[in-house]
Amino acid sequence: FTRQMAAFYGKYGIRVNSICPGGIQEKSHHKEFIKNYKEKVPLGRFCKSEDVASTIIFLSCDASSYITGSTIMLDGGWSII
């Protein structure tokens, strides 16, 4: 969907990207789940709200003006294993 929208709206100068955050720690998670998750993720932690916010800011500014149709994986490396 992201790529289709980017292809369609690009001619209007509109960029379309998506963000896919990994696990976000919740108070309801069991300690064993938290431990196992952190051991399996290459960066060894959950995604933070600051990680998502920083990516949104980056995609909203001129520094990313040539990025469109991309899906940014904020998963601490989970998708590479």
Side-chain angles (χ1 to χ4, degrees), residues 22-31 33-34 37 46-47:
I24 297 175
Q25 189 170 341
E26 299 287 334
K27 292 179 182 180
S28 61
H29 288 149
H30 294 288
K31 290 181 182 181
F33 172 79
I34 293 169
Y37 185 88
F46 283 86
C47 184

Side-chain angles (χ1 to χ4, degrees), residues 3-48:
R3 292 170 53 189
Q4 179 66 32
M5 296 293 286
F8 181 81
Y9 286 107
K11 61 187 168 197
Y12 302 108
I14 298 171
R15 298 179 297 121
V16 180
N17 297 290
S18 60
I19 300 169
C20 293
I24 297 175
Q25 189 170 341
E26 299 287 334
K27 292 179 182 180
S28 61
H29 288 149
H30 294 288
K31 290 181 182 181
E32 189 68 22
F33 172 79
I34 293 169
K35 178 182 171 288
N36 288 338
Y37 185 88
K38 289 180 177 182
E39 287 177 359
K40 291 184 180 185
V41 173
L43 290 184
R45 65 176 179 86
F46 283 86
C47 184
K48 299 176 186 174

Side-chain angles (χ1 to χ4, degrees), residues 61-77:
C61 72
D62 289 339
S64 66
S65 66
Y66 204 60
I67 298 173
T68 192
S70 295
T71 299
I72 310 293
M73 302 302 290
L74 290 178
D75 62 1

